[in-house]
Amino acid sequence: MMKNSPVWLNPLLLILFATLSYIGIIHHELCLDEANEWLMAVNSHSLVEHLHNARFTGHPPLWSIMLFILSRFTSDPFYMQLLHLGISLIATWLFLKYSPFSTLVKVCTIFGYYFLFEYNLINRSYNITWLLLIIFCILFNREKRNYLLLTLTLVLLANIHAFSWL
């Protein structure tokens, strides 16, 4: 049986993760594929046009739809980064709160390469996959499973990235 971590540790880890992430996004220049996704969303006049333009990106449409909706309010790509950071913070909080791992494993996971940099700072759909997988695990481990929510989570996963199909 693992000893529970102090109550203040998860919020402290989340604040540290958020601080490092924010510093990272303000210093991160968008890669070509990130800018391309954002510019397609900003320059599309309708969702149908956007989905038509995004059909060659090789990814299912959920991230593109989210960017299109956000681009109706602003054309500044910084807000795409903030949306991505928000998704990352929700995923990290759920991971810290519900994962059965030791504190060391949690710290190494959230501050490791993939979760701090690849899934967090680079604005691609991988981050939503991480969030939806955590949500699925939480829902699946409940004593009373809600199969409708589990199915909805799997449907969303199938529409975020090809790797999520696995």
Side-chain angles (χ1 to χ4, degrees), residues 8 13 24 29 37 42 52 57 72 76 103 111 117 151-152:
W8 53 266
L13 290 172
E29 292 186 26
E37 287 272 346
V42 168
H52 179 76
T57 62
R72 300 304 94 182
D76 187 352
T103 302
F111 294 110
F117 180 72
T151 302
L152 177 62

Side-chain angles (χ1 to χ4, degrees), residues 14 17-18 21 66 82-98 110 120 127-128 130-132 134-135 138:
L14 187 67
F17 182 84
S21 299
M66 292 172 69
L82 284 182
L83 170 66
H84 203 259
L85 176 61
I87 293 166
S88 186
L89 291 176
I90 293 168
T92 302
W93 175 251
L94 291 174
F95 177 76
L96 289 171
K97 182 174 181 176
Y98 290 102
I110 66 171
N120 185 28
N127 200 14
I128 303 168
W130 156 241
L131 172 63
L132 290 171
I134 292 169
I135 290 171
I138 292 168

Side-chain angles (χ1 to χ4, degrees), residues 37 47 50-51 59-69 83 125 128-129 132 152-153 155-161:
E37 287 272 346
L47 182 58
H50 177 62
L51 292 174
H59 299 291
L62 188 57
W63 176 240
S64 292
I65 292 169
M66 292 172 69
L67 292 181
F68 177 78
I69 293 168
L83 170 66
S125 58
I128 303 168
T129 300
L132 290 171
L152 177 62
T153 305
V155 167
L156 290 172
L157 267 168
N159 282 289
I160 199 62
H161 196 278

